[in-house]
Amino acid sequence: MRAILVDWLIEVHYKFKLNADTLFITVNIIDRYLSKQTVKRQYLQLVGVTAMLIASKYEDIYPPPIQDFIYITDNAYTQKDIVQMEYDILKELDFQITTPSAWIFLN
């Protein structure tokens, strides 16, 4: 399921025209969160879009608004769901957004 999620996030990343670093940080956040928490299949997409929201807030000058992420998930989640998941992810990761990733070495 992680591979399907990452493939979908690559398309979302392309559609929103986000910075390349944003995609690498997004996948890194997802992997670190999933290594610490068990997530039901129905919430995996929520974790993915929330991780992309966090990464875009960190890396991009103009991150997409939450409404764009709600739209891209076909209104499967509410703004409250995304904000709560953002809190859960940041709390679980102790607000450590970035770690050395492959993108740093590729540059």
Side-chain angles (χ1 to χ4, degrees), residues 16-46:
F16 288 158
K17 298 176 184 165
L18 299 173
N19 192 339
D21 290 337
T22 303
L23 182 61
F24 282 87
I25 293 171
T26 299
V27 174
N28 185 278
I29 289 171
I30 292 168
D31 290 342
R32 289 188 295 139
Y33 183 73
L34 291 178
S35 72
K36 294 182 178 192
Q37 288 291 326
T38 303
V39 177
K40 292 183 181 179
R41 176 190 258 181
Q42 64 190 14
Y43 297 115
L44 195 58
Q45 188 180 33
L46 176 61

Side-chain angles (χ1 to χ4, degrees), residues 2-100:
R2 179 196 172 274
I4 294 168
L5 175 66
V6 172
D7 285 344
W8 179 76
L9 286 172
I10 291 169
E11 293 176 25
V12 172
H13 174 264
Y14 180 75
K15 180 175 172 58
F16 288 158
K17 298 176 184 165
L18 299 173
N19 192 339
D21 290 337
T22 303
L23 182 61
F24 282 87
I25 293 171
T26 299
V27 174
N28 185 278
I29 289 171
I30 292 168
D31 290 342
R32 289 188 295 139
Y33 183 73
L34 291 178
S35 72
K36 294 182 178 192
Q37 288 291 326
T38 303
V39 177
K40 292 183 181 179
R41 176 190 258 181
Q42 64 190 14
Y43 297 115
L44 195 58
Q45 188 180 33
L46 176 61
V47 171
V49 296
T50 305
M52 184 166 279
L53 175 66
I54 293 168
S56 65
K57 284 181 179 180
Y58 184 81
E59 195 61 43
D60 291 302
I61 295 172
Y62 299 108
I66 292 178
Q67 276 64 33
D68 288 353
F69 288 104
I70 293 169
Y71 174 77
I72 205 76
T73 60
D74 200 25
N75 296 318
Y77 309 104
T78 64
Q79 182 172 349
K80 183 179 178 182
D81 294 335
I82 293 175
V83 171
Q84 182 62 48
M85 183 56 71
E86 182 178 15
Y87 172 78
D88 293 344
I89 290 173
L90 290 173
K91 184 179 174 189
E92 189 65 42
L93 300 180
D94 295 324
F95 289 84
Q96 299 295 318
I97 305 300
T98 60
T99 59

